[in-house]
Amino acid sequence: MAKKSTTVKHIGIVQHDGWLEPYEDAIRGRHDHAVWKINDLTQNGKQTLSSFASGYLYFGLHRTDKGWVLREWAPNATEIYVIGDFNGWQEDEKYKMKPLKNGNWELKLTKKQMQHGDLFKLKVKWNGGEGERIPAWINRVVQDDNTKIFSAQVWAPETPYQWKKKNFKPTTSPLLIYECHIGMAQDAEKVGTYAEFRENILPRIKKDGYNAVQIMAIAEHPYYGSFGYHVSNFFSASSRFGTPEELKELIDAAHGMGIAVIMDIVHSHAVKNELEGLGNFAGDGSQYFHGGARREHNQWDSLCFDYGKNEVLHFLLSNCKFWLDEYHFDGFRFDGVTSMLYYSHGLGQAFCGYGDYYNGAQDDDAICYLTLANCLIHEVNPNAITIAEEVSGMPGLAAPFKDGGFGFDYRMQMNVPDYWIKTMKERPDEDWKPSSIFWELTNRRSDEKTVTYAESHDQALVGDKTVIFQLIDADMYWHFKKGDENFMANRGIALHKMIRLVTASTLNGAYLNFMGNEWGHPEWIDFPREGNGWSYKYARRQWNLLDNHELCYHWLGDFDEAMLSVLKSEKKVEKTPVQEIWHNDGDQILAYTRGDLLFVFNFNPTQSFTDYGFIVKQGAYDVVLNTDAKEFGGNGLADDSVRHFTNYDPIYEQDGKGWLKLYIPARSAVVLRKAKEE
């Protein structure tokens, strides 16, 4: 009789990484928790997760055949009045909401009792107190220019926005993301608008070759300088940039250009404000948030959601579906995921081994929510894009749910910008090691796609420096006119291109750039505040510098466009293996291939090499990009029109390989393509 097999079938992410085997029970436990919660929310499959996450269709303010209906969840309230332009902002029995079951409240009004454009609030009363509040589910909030007070606004145009591009599928091969902020996208010292972004910035993004924009600060936030990360009104697109229809027109126009639109969504915390936000909606500070010591995030001065409550899951999951359904966003970049995953918010932890991810210090409810959010988003739109901003390295974050993962499509490769900043700050040019650069850029989980980047908005904020400023600093102000470049400017121009090329060309799914950094924007970002006299000088992008061809900026912008074009020319480049063929830390030379593309870098600041040889596939190679080309601000030391042929070597002949010998100027990189055999 044959012996029965005792082979254990491991869950997917453990199959990909055997070092996770000791923690498989914990991984399965998290997976089973999510499955149990999905069954709980869908009544064991009687409805879909998408049906459950449709709260925005019930709650909030809606136009009806007879007039209006307003519903809110406020279980601790004893009375709620709607006050606004229509009743002199006074309590009126005709505008008193009625209690329903489960802590819900409702008010039905006629067409005459409320008009599109009216301002209003809720007057909420509870045992021991009362206060004016903005409805939690409202889809429009505006700020008075004079008093600076925020109010809800009736927003239900008679004719809904008519979408021109109704069906859109993002291009993700590769995904090239342009991170941006609507308000600071214009040259003028002011808050930019959705319409101005659509008219002035989208064409630039399209021309450069990016196929996705990741927009910050969409959900309404009281303080402009928070960069949109202290959200008060989760279902309201920020009115400081324009109307909902203008945001929809922006997204529609982007889709018409083949550009996906990703929303930077903040479900990791919420602003503490009570008058504008959810901090104390109806006399119960823990209605949406944790109570006690877990209520406040002491580093962010904000409140932490209680993901263990079904009502909170309903609110947040509905919020995800709302932006997909109502505004046709193509997905989300989830902010602050590390803060959600750990009771400590990940602060003061080193994460040195796998045990640090499964030691009981993780918030299982938050993990469950993130998993459910990904299941929901991909149920609503199978082509949606989800990205996790997470620094601890939690395994499985961007692995499929069926494999025991969280279900994100990508995770931010946050070690890369940190590595570049550290290298530029601490290592002289002659100590830059190609082996270290290559390892840092390619050290990632094989079963998870990443978003790699040299810098994002984080590196552009006051208190930090962008790559270009790390390299050139104040010399940018005096030596960035053509013909007047000094050593620091030339060095910075050369390394800026090399850093971007080596980062983008080793991508494992997606590449990201922050608005203006591709052409070396010289200023940091500093939003209007008391400390700078409420100035908009540094909360903008100076496109005039790029457009002035007497300055050096356009060289960097032109190179970025050419670089993206080369990457896109290799079919499914993000899935093509990055194969190192040579590195020499002494010479500071690095070479690797991706399909038919050969990337060669000389990080040496002083030494150029003649006839530097590499073993590659036999054949002819043509230069398709050179950082040292004159059109990109280089010296033009090599003749890029020359076709390069491999030399015969009997040792490598049987493998179909030979020597390719190149001239590689100091501090430059070249990309060659293997010519098709005729």
Side-chain angles (χ1 to χ4, degrees), residues 183-352:
M184 58 169 285
Q186 304 305 312
D187 213 319
E189 296 184 28
K190 63 164 193 166
V191 178
T193 67
Y194 298 125
E196 288 171 328
F197 190 93
R198 173 178 54 81
E199 295 168 1
N200 302 329
I201 311 304
L202 273 181
R204 292 181 182 271
I205 297 170
K206 172 65 175 177
K207 178 181 179 297
D208 207 5
Y210 292 89
N211 54 31
V213 291
Q214 180 177 295
I215 307 182
M216 310 171 67
I218 289 295
E220 192 60 86
H221 45 290
Y223 178 45
Y224 185 47
S226 75
F227 234 140
Y229 290 124
H230 274 188
V231 175
S232 52
N233 313 104
F234 287 80
F235 291 85
S236 299
S238 182
S239 61
R240 56 172 57 87
F241 309 133
T243 67
E245 285 67 38
E246 287 168 334
L247 174 56
K248 291 175 182 179
E249 191 174 6
L250 186 165
I251 295 171
D252 210 0
H255 288 169
M257 297 179 180
I259 298 173
V261 186
I262 301 167
M263 177 180 172
D264 195 344
I265 200 166
V266 186
H267 284 180
S268 49
H269 62 136
V271 73
K272 292 167 68 174
N273 300 34
E274 296 183 2
L275 295 180
E276 295 90 359
L278 306 174
N280 186 22
F281 191 70
D284 178 8
S286 60
Q287 179 177 336
Y288 288 94
F289 309 104
H290 285 292
R294 296 190 63 195
R295 173 175 162 77
E296 295 191 19
H297 193 303
N298 56 10
Q299 294 294 312
W300 292 352
D301 192 33
S302 55
L303 302 180
C304 301
F305 284 107
D306 184 349
Y307 306 103
K309 292 181 179 177
N310 283 0
E311 295 87 353
V312 174
L313 294 179
H314 186 230
F315 183 80
L316 295 176
L317 291 174
S318 294
N319 191 236
C320 293
K321 185 181 175 184
F322 168 79
W323 293 110
L324 295 171
D325 183 29
E326 182 67 20
Y327 284 90
H328 293 199
F329 276 99
D330 299 294
F332 306 98
R333 178 259 200 189
F334 278 74
D335 179 71
V337 170
T338 305
S339 178
M340 300 170 69
L341 295 179
Y342 304 95
Y343 294 128
S344 67
H345 303 304
L347 301 171
Q349 292 184 249
F351 301 101
C352 297

Side-chain angles (χ1 to χ4, degrees), residues 523-536:
E523 305 288 11
W524 55 81
I525 300 167
D526 189 14
F527 279 90
R529 55 186 173 85
E530 188 174 1
N532 65 15
W534 301 103
S535 171
Y536 287 89

Side-chain angles (χ1 to χ4, degrees), residues 27 95 102 105 141 153 156 188 217 234 237 257 346 355 387 419 495 520 534 579 648 673:
I27 294 169
Y95 291 86
N102 303 317
W105 296 75
V141 174
Q153 185 175 36
F234 287 80
M257 297 179 180
I387 303 167
Y419 172 80
L495 288 176
W534 301 103
Q579 296 182 324
Y648 170 77
R673 181 188 302 282

Side-chain angles (χ1 to χ4, degrees), residues 415-486:
N415 62 297
V416 173
D418 291 344
Y419 172 80
W420 284 124
I421 294 297
K422 184 177 177 66
T423 298
M424 289 185 289
K425 281 183 177 180
E426 300 178 5
R427 289 185 178 274
D429 293 3
E430 57 268 22
D431 287 347
W432 287 28
K433 297 185 182 301
S435 61
S436 174
I437 292 171
F438 188 76
W439 186 88
E440 199 71 37
L441 291 171
T442 57
N443 178 32
R444 54 214 176 193
R445 303 188 65 80
S446 62
D447 59 336
E448 298 186 45
K449 293 186 293 186
T450 60
V451 176
T452 191
Y453 57 107
E455 54 186 336
S456 68
H457 72 271
D458 288 330
Q459 286 73 39
L461 294 168
V462 165
D464 210 331
K465 288 184 178 181
T466 60
V467 167
I468 200 72
F469 239 75
Q470 288 285 352
L471 294 169
I472 306 177
D473 212 271
D475 283 338
M476 287 199 72
Y477 296 120
W478 314 110
H479 297 285
F480 231 58
K481 185 175 181 179
K482 288 182 180 179
D484 192 36
E485 310 98 294
N486 63 0

Side-chain angles (χ1 to χ4, degrees), residues 97-108:
M97 300 187 76
K98 296 180 180 179
L100 306 176
K101 295 180 180 179
N102 303 317
N104 298 330
W105 296 75
E106 181 183 79
L107 174 65
K108 293 182 178 180

